Amino acid sequence: MFDDFLARAAIAGIGLTLATGPLGAFVVWRRMAYFGDATAHAAILGVALSFAFGTSVYLGTLGVALAMALTVARLSGRGHAMDTMLGVLAHSALAFGLLAASFQTGLRVDLSAWLFGDILAVSRTDLAIVWGGAAVVLALLAWRWQGLLTSTINDELAMASGINPKREQLVLTVALALTVAVSIKIVGALLIAALLIVPAASARQFARSPEVMAIGATGVGGASVLLGLWASLQFDTPAGPSIVSAATVIFVMSLGLRRR
């Protein structure tokens, strides 16, 4: 039924923004945009391996995304040129994932759905996974909120306050990998980083505190989902790119309002 699948798409998208809103705020504050790209691109390799071994796509994606995020986090503390290293890891993971997918006929045919998402095809099981994953991410961020904020401001300040910056980095790493895993079917591997960054960047224009920015990013993300689904319905465009495009339009508008 038409209304049923559209309602599921809206509920799934809004559930996802509950995680991407506050997590995206930390991605913007810590300048982790490329970190998110590397983790998201690795998700395609996770999808390919899941099909190859007949396991759950969500579990396979989570495992590979978590491995990539932990690898990047380890390398960041060893003096490597991070922009170059992240570029190598991000594009290599995507290339190996596409190569692995090319050997599997069923996955090769449906690869665009994993790259750009297929939010209109989410099932009730997918809804439960998305909302459950979002709840875990929110619980992690709420549990370590003050520690994450302090370590984001300054590592030395965090250590002086008895906070381990590496532990806070690990919390963000796990939260990011989990968000990528549950969002792969909704907006796809190539667009999840945009959904993390663009709403948070819009909310940053007007936020007076970290909490307001996190809530604002969630609100902008939810509005982007609804506007994107409406645009997809009206103009027969892909839903995932439409959602990110709606978020971009809101960002541009926020820049104009900020100048005024």
Side-chain angles (χ1 to χ4, degrees):
M1 185 175 174
F2 173 77
D3 290 338
D4 187 41
F5 81 77
L6 191 62
R8 287 200 303 271
I11 294 170
I14 291 172
L16 178 60
T17 62
L18 294 177
T20 59
L23 183 58
F26 281 105
V27 170
V28 170
W29 292 330
R30 288 174 171 246
R31 299 180 181 178
M32 294 170 59
Y34 224 158
F35 186 100
D37 270 336
T39 306
H41 287 177
I44 290 298
L45 181 57
V47 172
L49 292 176
S50 298
F51 273 78
F53 293 102
T55 60
S56 166
V57 170
Y58 290 111
L59 290 177
T61 303
L62 176 60
V64 174
L66 186 58
M68 173 62 77
L70 290 172
T71 299
V72 173
R74 289 289 298 274
L75 291 175
S76 65
R78 297 190 175 185
H80 294 272
M82 281 311 296
D83 56 344
T84 302
M85 187 58 63
L86 286 171
V88 170
L89 290 173
H91 299 300
S92 298
L94 180 59
F96 280 113
L98 294 175
L99 283 176
S102 70
F103 291 103
Q104 303 171 60
T105 305
L107 180 57
R108 185 168 64 244
V109 171
D110 199 35
L111 191 58
S112 63
W114 300 106
L115 289 171
F116 301 104
D118 192 7
I119 192 172
L120 298 178
V122 297
S123 64
R124 286 182 170 83
T125 301
D126 294 325
L127 283 180
I129 292 172
V130 169
W131 278 81
V136 173
V137 171
L138 282 176
L140 277 173
L141 296 180
W143 172 48
R144 300 304 310 163
W145 182 261
Q146 195 57 52
L148 287 168
L149 282 179
T150 305
S151 62
T152 298
I153 295 170
N154 187 273
D155 283 349
E156 287 76 15
L157 176 62
M159 288 187 286
S161 303
I163 297 169
N164 185 349
K166 291 185 178 180
R167 181 182 59 193
E168 309 309 324
Q169 177 69 30
L170 179 61
V171 170
L172 279 181
T173 298
V174 172
L176 184 60
L178 183 57
T179 301
V180 168
V182 300
S183 65
I184 185 73
K185 190 172 183 178
I186 297 177
V187 293
L190 298 184
L191 300 178
I192 179 56
L195 197 59
L196 281 165
I197 297 164
V198 180
S202 300
R204 190 177 192 177
Q205 306 301 319
F206 306 99
R208 300 285 182 175
S209 70
E211 291 78 12
V212 170
M213 180 171 164
I215 295 171
T218 303
V220 171
S224 301
V225 167
L226 297 178
L227 287 173
L229 288 175
W230 175 84
S232 177
L233 179 65
Q234 292 296 314
F235 305 111
D236 194 26
T237 54
S242 297
I243 290 171
V244 177
S245 297
T248 304
V249 170
I250 294 174
F251 173 69
V252 173
M253 291 174 61
S254 73
L255 290 178
L257 293 173
R258 177 67 173 176
R259 290 195 184 98
R260 291 187 178 185

